Structures are given as C-alpha cells and as structure tokens.
C-alpha cells in the first residue's frame, strides 16, 4: 500500500496469495471502535474491509475482518520505512508469533529513505489530534 512518500513510502496490507500465509492477531472491537479504526485507515478509499477465515495457533478457525488495499493499491510491492517495519517486528515479538514468521519479517528490506527507527511517525502530531478525538478541517 503506498504511503506518504518519502517519509513513509509504504504501509502493510493483506492480499490473497495462493499458498501464502499472514500471521498476526485477532482483536474483538466494539462497533464504535471498528468505525473509528476504519475511518483512521481511510476506508473505503485507501483500504476496503474483507471478511477472512483465520486459523488460530490453537487450530481453531474463526471469521474475522481485515483491511485490504482499495483504490490506492500499488502495482508493485514497495519497501516500508525502517520505523514502520520496526513496529511490525516489535508487534510480532510481543504477540509471540512463530519464529518462522519473525524470520520472514527480519528478511524484509526497508526503503533507503523514510522515517528511521526510533523516530515518531511524521504524522504523529496529526494522529494525536486536539485531544477531542476529532480533526477540524
């Protein structure tokens, strides 16, 4: 998914790929929290909502919703910034995702430009908002 080049050149997304898999977490959200998440992620322009079957590490399968690229999908895979990929790798460690998945994340190359690890997102001031949960335009 294209990002805010050159500071954040790409963001993660999930697309169907025969024979491939994606590891992550399943969270239960209230309808209000789901609506806020979709709004913050740019649904329906940047992402679209997809229902997917998820096989948990326990072997149980559940239905879940995820976000896939929408109108802004890049025709090629773009490398993420060091900062963004660092967040994904940290999340994988905290969630104790499989070692094989963490190795796969470790092998991803980052963009030669973009926000370095340890720095706030270039959008952090926007994301913090005014404290009211709304953004005035």
């Amino acid at each position: 998914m294209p990002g805010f080049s050159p500071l954040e050149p790409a963001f993660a997304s999930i697309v169907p790929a025969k024979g491939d898999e994606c590891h992550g977490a399943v969270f239960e959200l209230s309808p209000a929290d789901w609506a806020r998440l979709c709004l913050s992620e740019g649904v329906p322009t940047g992402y679209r909502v997809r229902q997917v079957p998820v096989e948990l590490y326990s072997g149980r399968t559940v239905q879940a919703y995820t976000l896939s690229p929408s109108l802004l999908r890049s025709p090629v895979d773009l490398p993420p910034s060091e900062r963004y990929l660092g967040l994904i790798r940290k999340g994988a460690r905290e969630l104790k995702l499989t070692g094989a998945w963490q190795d796969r994340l470790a092998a991803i190359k980052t963009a030669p430009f973009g926000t370095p690890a340890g720095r706030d997102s270039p959008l952090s001031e926007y994301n913090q908002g005014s404290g009211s949960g709304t953004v005035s335009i």
Side-chain angles (χ1 to χ4, degrees):
M1 176 80 183
F4 302 100
S5 285
L7 297 174
E8 293 296 339
F11 294 111
S13 61
I14 298 173
V15 295
K18 191 170 180 77
D20 207 353
E21 60 189 14
C22 180
H23 294 232
V26 176
F27 296 95
E28 188 170 325
L29 301 175
S30 70
D33 287 342
W34 176 248
R36 278 192 289 277
L37 175 72
C38 288
L39 182 62
S40 75
E41 295 299 319
V43 172
T45 306
Y47 288 98
R48 67 183 177 95
V49 176
R50 292 188 57 233
Q51 187 174 21
V52 295
V54 176
E55 184 180 338
L56 305 176
Y57 283 170
S58 68
R60 192 172 127 226
T61 299
V62 299
Q63 290 297 310
Y65 294 96
T66 189
L67 301 179
S68 290
S70 188
L71 303 174
L72 301 178
R73 181 174 183 193
S74 173
V76 297
D77 282 339
L78 300 170
S81 72
E82 186 179 298
R83 182 202 70 84
Y84 187 74
L85 185 56
L87 293 173
I88 293 172
R89 290 172 176 161
K90 179 181 178 190
R93 287 190 304 274
E94 290 176 357
L95 292 166
K96 296 179 176 49
L97 300 183
T98 66
W101 186 254
Q102 291 187 52
D103 290 345
R104 185 170 171 179
L105 293 175
I108 296 173
K109 304 289 185 208
T110 59
F113 48 85
T115 307
R119 300 243 349 240
D120 283 339
S121 166
L123 300 175
S124 62
E125 287 182 32
Y126 170 81
N127 290 335
Q128 291 170 1
S130 63
S132 67
T134 62
V135 176
S136 299
I137 300 177

